Amino acid sequence: MTKLYLISTGPGDADLIAPRSVKAIGECSDLVAYGLYLDLLGSVCDGKTHHDLPLGEEIGRARLALDLAASGKTTALISSGDIGIYAMATLVFELLDMQLQGKENHPEWLDVDIEVVPGISAMQAGSARIGAMLGHDFCTISLSDLLTPWQTIEKRLHSCGEGDFVVSFYNPRSKKRDWQINTARDILLQYRPANTPVLLGRQLTREDESITITTLDKLDAADVDMFTLVSVGNSETRHIENGDKEWVYTPRGYSKKL
């Protein structure tokens, strides 16, 4: 049986790539990915056949990876962060589901052995950079309405506010979508204080990383781009400072036992 690895490479720092991901890449002859991800991996990808498809070609990448694996080539489909979180793994399984429903004509895909290799997501990297922001119940919401209707996203934003979840926003802004993050801010302000801590983590763990800690009322689309993770604390999230050090954490209630 041929093998397809769905590989996570973490947020960008080579030290944060799971050893299992590196080992799996070593077992592959063909690598399918957005080219930037292969560049970040560096020499790990040497000697492999690269299949670099641009942003926007996600369906093409998933199909190609399945085709290569079905043809007998040990293949890796690679995503940054965790491939199972807003990434390529779900698309591969959706294609397999469609094949089982008779909506695709690729029975050979069903003979492929698939292994998903997890990784560190941007929200985990961001939380670690500033302390322990995800220390209590949290959720993630993608603000992209390209595949999900805005009405659905807005419903989830209100549910997040009512549930008082720490929330990490993925896809907060692009050139064509510049209003959603401010709308999300305004919705959350209905449920939590204006001084709620907010993390803006751009290019997390990479050479040009920038970390900004601000507050919910000051969150603005002008400070966010497609490379930025936005995490908003809940009503109890704390921003503490000690000289030139500052941390953000979300308590779990241990103060009652201290």
Side-chain angles (χ1 to χ4, degrees):
M1 182 176 287
T2 54
K3 188 88 172 185
L4 172 60
Y5 291 103
L6 306 183
I7 294 178
S8 309
T9 63
D13 187 335
D15 290 338
L16 296 178
I17 300 173
R20 180 58 182 149
S21 291
V22 175
K23 181 180 179 183
I25 290 171
E27 297 173 6
C28 294
S29 62
D30 291 70
L31 310 179
V32 181
Y34 172 50
L36 174 62
Y37 303 154
L38 298 176
D39 293 340
L40 289 171
L41 285 168
S43 61
V44 175
C45 300
D46 290 350
K48 315 294 181 181
T49 301
H50 295 191
H51 303 270
D52 175 4
L53 277 70
L55 290 177
E57 295 293 330
E58 287 76 21
I59 296 175
R61 259 182 268 150
R63 288 182 179 277
L64 176 58
L66 283 165
D67 286 341
L68 288 168
S71 73
K73 297 178 179 179
T74 303
T75 303
L77 178 61
I78 298 172
S79 282
S80 64
D82 185 304
I83 197 167
I85 300 176
Y86 300 119
M88 295 296 299
T90 185
L91 182 49
V92 169
F93 292 113
E94 188 168 0
L95 287 170
L96 292 176
D97 189 10
M98 292 177 68
Q99 173 60 39
L100 289 168
Q101 295 177 52
K103 298 178 181 179
E104 290 281 344
N105 188 27
H106 296 277
E108 68 278 8
W109 287 353
L110 301 179
D111 293 326
V112 173
D113 181 23
I114 297 176
E115 179 179 335
V116 182
V117 183
I120 296 172
S121 69
M123 64 179 174
Q124 292 170 285
S127 179
R129 276 290 192 254
I130 61 171
M133 196 169 192
L134 303 181
H136 207 340
D137 296 338
F138 64 89
C139 67
T140 65
I141 297 177
S142 171
L143 294 182
S144 173
D145 58 353
L146 295 177
L147 300 175
T148 303
W150 178 254
Q151 291 84 354
T152 300
I153 297 171
E154 189 170 19
K155 180 180 178 180
R156 292 171 180 169
L157 287 166
H158 282 285
S159 296
C160 168
E162 291 175 355
D164 199 24
F165 291 98
V166 176
V167 58
S168 293
F169 290 125
Y170 283 71
N171 307 308
R173 181 183 177 179
S174 70
K175 291 180 180 179
K176 295 181 179 179
R177 296 182 298 100
D178 60 358
W179 57 270
Q180 285 90 340
I181 186 64
N182 285 353
T183 301
R185 173 203 63 205
D186 293 342
I187 290 173
L188 290 182
L189 280 170
Q190 299 175 34
Y191 301 96
R192 59 194 66 175
N195 65 349
T196 299
V198 173
L199 162 69
L200 304 180
R202 188 176 188 278
Q203 296 283 41
L204 285 162
T205 80
R206 301 178 186 180
E207 290 184 359
D208 53 347
E209 174 188 84
S210 66
I211 299 289
T212 302
I213 299 173
T214 184
T215 54
L216 184 57
D217 61 334
K218 294 179 181 177
L219 174 60
D220 191 89
D223 301 319
V224 176
D225 65 14
M226 64 184 296
F227 300 107
T228 306
L229 172 83
V230 180
S231 291
V232 181
N234 68 12
S235 63
E236 297 184 352
T237 300
R238 298 269 296 153
H239 179 198
I240 57 176
E241 299 180 73
N242 180 25
D244 61 349
K245 297 179 181 179
E246 56 181 334
W247 306 96
V248 175
Y249 77 100
T250 302
R252 292 184 63 196
Y254 285 114
S255 61
K256 300 172 185 176
K257 297 180 177 292
L258 296 176

